[in-house]
Amino acid sequence: MPLSAINQFCYPTPSLVKTKTPASLKCSFLSKSPPFPLTKTTPLTLNRNRKFSLSIVAMSMEAGVGVMGTKLGMMTYFEPNGKVVPVTVVGFREGNIVTQIKTDATDGYDAVQVGYRRVRDKKLTKPEMGHLEKAGVIPMRHLQEFRLQGLDGFEIGQKLLFEELFKEGDLVDVSGTTIGKGFQGGIKRHNFKRGPMSHGSKSHRALGSIGAGTTPGRVYKGKKMPGRMGGTKTKIRKLKIVKIDNDLRVVMIKGALPGKPGNLLRIAPAKIVGKNIPKS
């Protein structure tokens, strides 16, 4: 396909675009509202083979607005009936302030952007500082969005308090980055079995066969092999809030949470299909 034809296809004249599109979308096949929300787009680029690609990241709907916190560690909690419960203690630094409200008319979806963890001005770039100064809030390190079904009751500069959003006994979804383990073998990374450790064995902890011979003559994609383990974003769903301590400004959540002490956590109401999330 000649370059002129690609430019005409990806950058149509205004008369060809019938519906209003976000400023970042420059392709006619995305002029209509897509069936899923768009959160990030990359410009179209041509490679040596004259092919172009568009990377789109979709953001899922949240059951409600949440907050960010800092993992402090784990401990044992004794319930009034004497039952022992392992809990993770989560603390809160200065922040959890609404920095931007995105609407369907301006951004194509409804979401609330929240900032967390105050830092010095020189720790942020000028565009970041400009964005926060426009909202009239303090400099904050982390910015995350919560895509909601409605934006009633939110305003820029509003401070979100955990005890006002959640109560003891509620279920929450907690997201964070797992502890990085570095490059690991198949036994630790994928729970493979090892070979005999006797003297005659020629395979103790080796991976073993990774495919057939002439047919198919290659290794299938997705084959479990040694590689980097951990350090990825994960979400643990439907965890119970055991205790909220307003004096210490901490919350205790049943079970283990991603990452090590000091790790950033994102806490949101648990998604329950048919209750707070539509079935469709």
Side-chain angles (χ1 to χ4, degrees), residues 60-280:
S60 61
M61 181 79 68
E62 295 285 355
V65 69
V67 296
M68 286 176 278
T70 303
K71 181 177 179 178
L72 300 181
M74 294 195 68
M75 62 173 290
T76 300
Y77 178 79
F78 293 88
E79 293 184 345
N81 58 4
K83 183 179 179 180
V84 178
V85 180
V87 297
T88 301
V89 182
V90 180
F92 301 96
R93 298 188 179 184
E94 188 175 2
N96 283 322
I97 301 174
V98 177
T99 57
Q100 186 180 3
I101 298 177
K102 296 189 174 183
T103 62
D104 184 70
T106 57
D107 300 278
Y109 61 98
D110 296 331
V112 174
Q113 185 186 85
V114 180
Y116 178 71
R117 187 184 171 188
R118 181 170 188 168
V119 293
R120 289 179 290 178
D121 296 355
K122 68 177 184 179
K123 295 292 185 179
L124 302 178
T125 63
K126 288 187 177 181
E128 292 171 340
M129 283 297 301
H131 175 70
L132 296 175
E133 288 176 355
K134 181 180 179 180
V137 296
I138 59 177
M140 289 175 287
R141 167 65 66 190
H142 306 287
L143 296 177
Q144 292 196 13
E145 290 184 1
F146 296 88
R147 182 170 177 262
L148 307 174
Q149 298 178 354
L151 300 176
D152 297 336
F154 295 102
E155 58 182 10
I156 297 178
Q158 177 183 354
K159 186 174 180 60
L160 302 178
L161 300 177
F162 188 88
E163 57 270 17
E164 295 180 358
L165 301 176
F166 304 94
K167 63 180 184 297
E168 296 180 2
D170 288 350
L171 300 180
V172 293
D173 294 342
V174 183
S175 304
T177 304
T178 59
I179 298 176
K181 304 292 185 179
F183 194 98
Q184 300 297 333
I187 294 179
K188 182 172 182 178
R189 191 183 186 203
H190 300 295
N191 199 28
F192 288 171
K193 294 183 178 180
R194 63 170 175 82
M197 299 303 290
S198 58
H199 178 70
S201 174
K202 299 297 180 65
S203 175
H204 301 301
R205 297 176 64 91
L207 185 64
S209 175
I210 60 174
T214 304
T215 304
R218 62 186 177 88
V219 179
Y220 289 120
K221 291 183 179 181
K223 173 66 179 176
K224 294 181 179 179
M225 300 181 71
R228 181 169 293 183
M229 180 181 177
T232 58
K233 182 181 178 181
T234 185
K235 176 188 289 186
I236 304 180
R237 303 188 62 239
K238 297 183 179 180
L239 297 177
K240 181 181 178 181
I241 299 177
V242 177
K243 179 70 174 178
I244 299 177
D245 195 324
N246 296 327
D247 297 332
L248 298 177
R249 296 291 303 152
V250 298
V251 59
M252 301 178 187
I253 301 177
K254 183 179 180 179
L257 302 183
K260 57 185 179 180
N263 189 39
L264 176 69
L265 298 175
R266 172 192 173 108
I267 306 174
K271 296 181 181 180
I272 303 177
V273 177
K275 184 177 179 180
N276 52 23
I277 290 293
K279 291 184 178 180
S280 54

